[in-house]
Amino acid sequence: MRKTVVFDLDGTLADTSGDLLAAANYCFHDMGLGDVLSVDRDAGVALRGGKRMLTVGLERTDRYSLETVEAYYPVLLKAYGETICEHSWIYPGAMETIEVLKSQGYGVGICTNKPEGLADQLLRELGVRDAFEALVGADTLPVRKPDPAPLVETVARLGGEMPHTVLVGDSDTDRNTAKAAGVPSVLVTFGPSGEDMAALTPEALMSDYAELPEIVERLIGAA
């Protein structure tokens, strides 16, 4: 069975906060509130997903209601899909390292809480979709991370097995997913919440993608 390395997307492989926040602010403009969220202040909020952005923005303006969040969530997704790659970029060294891992024989896939269609669209617009053999999104299965099922499904699609898998992520969601699945996690420290990653006690921290091949081999052995 293949050994596999599975990546989160937002905040791990790519900084997508600018486009996510723009989509949220589109909704707030529609509500007559203007730009409520900003990249400088809310990049970490953006990587928590659309509903979290709406919740934070509405709470900040004393307009929060669950009904408003649910009503505007599809509006946000539509706006995001229309401008998904204007301010998003792959983190330095990520794709070069993925090619190294593949050349060494590891299976490489993505397990994200972004809806699968939007994840696929983003990866294609960034020009990197073909680098990943498997993609599982928030709506691929009835459950999403931190439930371990999406990670298990990603590994199955790669032809791997759980005891020989590493999950690379940027949040407590990824840490908890890996823990629930019984696999080691590597958390990146270069994202918006990087300073908080050590407190989550992952099996490894990564400040630069060049470090990853050595970390993976240490955690699960050579492919």
Side-chain angles (χ1 to χ4, degrees), residues 8 10 20 45-53 69-70 73-74 76-77 110-119 136-154 167 171-178 180-181:
D8 174 54
D10 300 85
L20 288 164
V45 176
L47 300 177
R48 291 289 182 172
K51 291 185 179 181
R52 183 61 185 160
M53 289 189 293
V69 171
E70 294 296 333
Y73 183 57
L76 185 152
L77 292 181
I110 291 175
C111 182
T112 174
N113 274 354
K114 187 189 290 291
E116 182 179 349
L118 288 173
V136 172
D139 51 356
T140 305
L141 302 179
V143 295
R144 62 174 65 189
K145 298 183 298 184
D147 192 294
L151 176 58
V152 173
E153 176 66 17
T154 308
L167 176 61
S171 68
D172 58 340
T173 298
D174 296 309
R175 175 70 179 108
N176 292 335
T177 302

Side-chain angles (χ1 to χ4, degrees), residues 24-36 57-58 61 63 68 72:
N25 281 328
Y26 174 89
C27 296
F28 296 133
H29 273 272
D30 192 64
M31 300 176 204
L33 300 174
D35 287 338
V36 177
L58 289 167
T61 54
R63 293 276 297 272
T68 303
Y72 270 92

